Amino acid sequence: MRILFVNPPNCGRSIPEERYGIDSIKQIFRGEPLALEALAGNLAKHDISIFDLKIETSGFLEKLQEFKPDIVGFTAMTCEANTVIKLAQQVRQVSSAHTVVGGTHASADPEFFNREEIDSIVIGLGKQSFAELVETLETGHHKDISGIAPVTPGKQLCWTPRQYTQSDLVNNVAPRYDLVKNYRCHYSLESLGLKMGLVASAAGCPYNCSFCCIAPLTGGRYLTAEIEAVLRDIQTLQETPVIRLVDANSFGNPKHAWQLANAIEAAGIKKQYLADVRSDMVVRQPELLKRWKEIGLRAVVIGFEEIDDTTLGALNKENNAATNRKAIEILHRIGLTIVGDFIISPDYTEEQFDQLEQFVRKQEIDLPMHTILTPLPGTPLYRELQSQITIHDLDYYTLINAVLPTRLDEEIFYQRYAALLHEGHSQAKV
Ligand code: B12
Ligand code: SF4
């Protein structure tokens, strides 16, 4: 089978720019589409191509006509969902390919894609389930595949939930990093001039923060990758000195994280790493962080989210402000760069903006990353705040737009937000 995987373009829209001319908030990120490379890895006998529209700005129709795919697979975050529908319409115009969508939005809100432009929706980890779908399409022996919903426009979707296990990671086959070799020079963190490669050492997260869309990817399970598979992937990315572990919750299984650090050292791998970790794990496992620093950990991304316990509690973070402060202390002591994620509620007052600004300065967060509280469809927060949402167009669900009413005058809200981002980035020490 000929399978074309498509990474949608950078397509999020920006309210501060459109309404108030504040153009400093929207950022363009580029990174390899690891999901598509991983899926391709488990399709060895097929002819696969990845088209990255975040890099190629045109030529999609030409690619379809030239490659003549039997299947076109899209990945999509929420802000890319509308764009994927439009791209799937283009596929329908020139080809009879089976169209499939997977990724964070399909997993959290599959019903959104229950439209005639799409044929199948993959919910959660797809490396194994998609391979099963390709087989049924190739042989014509249709069967029910758990984790895959055939679209039924006009009727509610019906599918068998998948009980995700380690076998869904299909660790015995590597991601096809080679399929993006022509794009690789673009996958860098331009502001720091860093070339970065993506590797997964775990999937999913057992927590259930109300704003987060990760749980549906694994049905709330935390699955660790085999150590040999992680080493293989790091070593394959020979030209990239920095590895971003893409796990939503790295080192969530400390025993696995120790084994991985020891294995990296034993293999003589000299690279730098960036990982997303929880602050309570840092407090419980400072020695683990020290160990990772020894083998190359350069920076950790931590979701501090809010600076007081009431708001943290409301987000169901199962963590508290004291633990966050303790983790910051430990990380400073170890000498790890802290990239701190903070969530600004549209409900923020001037005073709350001031307090957050002071916190970031006082705690010496090296690179603060501020997003705006966004009820992503499919999350508990969405169910809670659905009736208050004023902007339903998913193009704005980039986490840098207020889709709920702001308490402050909207323009002032965005000015304060832009100033916060500017201060954080101008003093960034990464
Ligand atoms: C790497 C990454 C990026 C990279 C690369 C993504 C890409 N496609 O090019 C870059 C840097 C480009 C990026 C950009 C953005 N990102 Co991002 N990103 C991630 C990150 C850290 C890892 C994703 C990943 O590679 N996982 C590893 C792979 C193997 O797992 P996976 O993606 O889940 O894929 C599996 C399944 O989902 C499924 N699957 C996925 N796609 C497909 C497709 C098909 C056909 C099938 C069958 C199955 C399938 O099978 C895969 C294998 O099992 C996640 C957080 C996280 N830890 O998940 C955020 C995350 C996905 N990003 C997020 C956001 C918000 C953004 C931005 C909007 C940020 C911004 N403000 O600009 C932008 C998008 C900009 C735009 N389009 O306009 C949010 C998405 C929330 C949401 N529901 O929309 C996340 C979840 C982080 C968060 N804060 O919550 N991102
Ligand atoms: S925000 Fe982090 S800790 Fe909370 S559910 Fe999502 S990945 Fe897990």
Side-chain angles (χ1 to χ4, degrees), residues 114-131:
N114 191 10
R115 305 176 186 217
E116 46 193 40
E117 297 87 351
I118 303 291
D119 293 306
S120 301
I121 304 163
V122 173
I123 296 128
L125 300 181
K127 206 168 167 182
Q128 181 55 29
S129 61
F130 183 68

Side-chain angles (χ1 to χ4, degrees), residues 3-13 25-39 52 54 71-80 99-108 120-131 133 148 168-169 187 189 198-200 202-204 211-214 217 244-249 276 341 371 376-377 379 395 397-400 417:
I3 304 168
L4 177 65
F5 284 121
V6 182
N7 194 23
N10 272 293
C11 44
R13 295 182 62 182
I25 292 177
K26 191 176 169 192
Q27 290 173 25
I28 304 293
F29 292 110
R30 291 192 189 92
E32 61 192 288
L34 181 59
L36 303 180
E37 298 163 2
L39 295 164
D52 190 343
K54 288 191 175 60
I71 301 173
V72 178
F74 299 96
T75 187
M77 296 172 220
T78 302
C79 69
E80 299 170 338
T99 55
V100 186
V101 62
T104 43
H105 195 70
S107 304
S120 301
I121 304 163
V122 173
I123 296 128
L125 300 181
K127 206 168 167 182
Q128 181 55 29
S129 61
F130 183 68
L133 174 69
I148 299 194
D168 285 291
L169 302 178
Y187 299 143
L189 204 56
L198 306 188
V199 170
F211 56 87
C212 181
C213 63
I214 295 295
L217 291 171
R244 163 97 207 251
L245 295 179
V246 291
D247 331 337
N249 180 358
D276 288 47
D341 284 340
T371 56
L376 293 166
T379 60
D395 288 1
Y397 282 57
T398 54
L399 316 189
I400 51 173
Y417 179 48

Side-chain angles (χ1 to χ4, degrees), residues 87-146:
L87 291 168
Q89 281 163 358
Q90 292 185 32
V91 176
R92 289 282 195 255
Q93 280 164 21
V94 297
S95 133
S96 56
H98 188 93
T99 55
V100 186
V101 62
T104 43
H105 195 70
S107 304
D109 184 20
E111 205 60 60
F112 177 86
F113 289 111
N114 191 10
R115 305 176 186 217
E116 46 193 40
E117 297 87 351
I118 303 291
D119 293 306
S120 301
I121 304 163
V122 173
I123 296 128
L125 300 181
K127 206 168 167 182
Q128 181 55 29
S129 61
F130 183 68
E132 291 169 25
L133 174 69
V134 173
E135 197 188 316
T136 65
L137 292 172
E138 187 172 33
T139 58
H141 298 138
H142 292 287
K143 60 167 188 174
D144 177 42
I145 302 168
S146 65

